[in-house]
Amino acid sequence: MLPDEPRTLEAPAAGSQTPAAGSAESGRPVAGRIRNLLSQSGPLLGLLVLGFVLTLMSDRFLTFTNLTNVGQQIAVIAIVALGSTFVIISGGIDLSVGSVLALSSAVFAIAFAQTPLPLPLAILGGLLAGVVAGIVNGLLITFGRLPPFIATLAMLSVARGLVLVVTDGRPISGFPPEFRVITEGKLLFDVPLSLGLMLALFVLGAIALRNTVFGRATYAVGGNEEVARLSGVRVVRTKLGVYALSGLFAAVGGLVLTSRLNSAQPVAGQGLELDVIAAVVIGGASLSGGEGGAFRTLLGALVIGVLRNGLNLVHVSSFWQQVAVGPATAPAVMTDPPPRRQGVCGAGRGGSRAGAGRGRTGWRGRV
């Protein structure tokens, strides 16, 4: 349009808006508050409602024995999900946790049962295997420029293949009683030791996310990677750290599972990554990064554990129990704001995500 050409359309005056626009603007904050409320309180509310319904359906549900049994059942999923919480908050995803769990379990079993290494060194070897696998994931993502989905999918296949190679596809057993104390030991009031270990790890995870430089950097990278880099956050180091933590917690979960089964199974952890991601998402974490928390993930794991335990008590088939996890996960993702849903598995090349271009300069660090 030429400078002196008459305008046929006039922009509305400043401060004025059409009725439709006004109603839309007034509706957005309300919808946002509702989404935020569901995201923050939904897991706890869902757990309470689920517990109430199951208490009415079975008189065995609300007993100390059954509740501690639920805690033991979710210990492995919850511990592994704690590591994945760091990854998902940073805007990544880790599909290899089930295979890394099995690999760590196999390394520990071989180091103890087939070599003269003492038990503490064998445990250290299993934990180290998980950390190395996590660091390899981080290197593929940061320096290899692979999307997290592809890098961790490759590790899923490699780790599972290594487990089958080193174990020859056969379980390894023969562990001493002092190792089985992890799952058979008791704390005060007959609380299982594995449950106490799980709670201790979640307390440490919550402190790390909320009160450390690394935790704040994790939220910053997930909120907006480019802004975090310009603000002085060491993005590469942070990503390597979160994937190393994910491998470490997968290894801890593998040791707990090995203690419970009293054997290292080559098929251990198959499909575990789906339950882990479901627990983190049900807990309110955003798959596009920047939001989530340790205790919220614990609530998500409890929802899955209580749901399956309750269905067991009312004699529902295990096949239908797996079906039930889907309806529990979908509403949690629906409470995520629509712009954030587009970045699921995002992280394109070099870890940049579509969210970085939408002006998301802040992050929420609630645990």
Side-chain angles (χ1 to χ4, degrees):
M1 182 180 294
L2 297 176
D4 55 349
E5 182 179 350
R7 297 183 179 182
T8 56
L9 294 176
E10 294 184 1
S16 64
Q17 54 183 205
T18 62
S23 61
E25 290 296 328
S26 62
R28 285 173 189 165
V30 175
R33 284 195 294 269
I34 293 175
R35 285 183 183 275
N36 189 51
L37 179 63
L38 290 175
S39 177
Q40 300 297 325
S41 305
L44 179 59
L45 180 61
L47 182 62
L48 293 176
V49 171
L50 185 60
F52 177 75
V53 172
L54 292 176
T55 300
L56 296 179
M57 296 178 66
S58 173
D59 57 358
R60 293 181 295 165
F61 174 75
L62 204 61
T63 61
F64 178 80
T65 301
N66 185 64
L67 293 180
T68 54
N69 185 40
V70 171
Q72 286 186 299
Q73 289 174 350
I74 69 164
V76 173
I77 294 176
I79 290 172
V80 179
L82 177 58
S84 289
T85 301
F86 285 83
V87 171
I88 290 176
I89 289 175
S90 72
I93 197 165
D94 191 350
L95 300 178
S96 67
V97 289
S99 297
V100 172
L101 176 149
L103 179 62
S104 301
S105 173
V107 168
F108 157 74
I110 291 174
F112 179 77
Q114 300 181 8
T115 67
L117 284 179
L119 182 62
L121 287 181
I123 291 176
L124 184 61
L127 296 177
L128 185 61
V131 173
V132 170
I135 291 176
V136 171
N137 280 334
L139 290 173
L140 290 174
I141 293 165
T142 54
F143 294 101
R145 303 290 184 179
L146 290 177
F149 185 92
I150 301 300
T152 58
L153 187 63
M155 179 56 70
L156 178 153
S157 179
V158 170
R160 184 64 65 180
L162 287 175
V163 172
L164 295 174
V165 169
V166 299
T167 64
D168 199 24
R170 292 181 296 218
I172 300 175
S173 57
F175 304 114
E178 54 266 29
F179 177 67
R180 298 198 64 186
V181 74
I182 296 176
T183 50
E184 294 181 352
K186 301 291 183 180
L187 299 174
L188 294 176
F189 308 109
D190 284 336
V191 174
L193 181 59
S194 59
L195 183 56
L197 173 63
M198 178 191 73
L199 294 176
L201 290 175
F202 269 89
V203 170
L204 292 175
I207 293 173
L209 279 172
R210 194 168 196 169
N211 299 319
T212 66
V213 174
F214 174 75
R216 292 190 290 271
T218 302
Y219 281 107
V221 171
N224 191 316
E225 183 178 318
E226 189 59 30
V227 170
R229 180 180 288 108
L230 295 174
S231 300
V233 174
R234 297 182 176 181
V235 174
V236 171
R237 180 179 296 183
T238 301
K239 286 188 174 183
L240 288 174
V242 298
Y243 282 98
L245 276 178
S246 181
L248 174 62
F249 283 114
V252 174
L255 293 177
V256 173
L257 182 61
T258 304
S259 174
R260 180 192 302 172
L261 300 177
N262 197 30
S263 66
Q265 300 286 338
V267 295
Q270 284 189 338
L272 179 69
E273 56 277 349
L274 302 180
D275 285 341
V276 164
I277 294 173
V280 179
V281 170
I282 291 173
S286 172
L287 281 173
S288 55
E291 186 172 358
F295 290 125
R296 290 163 62 178
T297 294
L298 180 58
L299 284 175
L302 280 170
V303 169
I304 294 176
V306 167
L307 179 61
R308 287 179 172 166
N309 176 263
L311 293 176
N312 269 329
L313 292 178
V314 295
H315 308 293
V316 174
S317 165
S318 59
F319 304 121
W320 283 107
Q321 292 177 28
Q322 187 63 33
V323 173
V325 177
T329 308
V333 179
M334 291 172 64
T335 61
D336 222 12
R340 297 171 68 102
R341 280 189 232 155
Q342 299 171 2
V344 174
C345 299
R349 294 183 62 82
S352 61
R353 302 179 355 265
R358 294 196 294 266
R360 292 171 53 207
T361 57
W363 62 89
R364 285 171 279 181
R366 302 181 182 88
V367 289

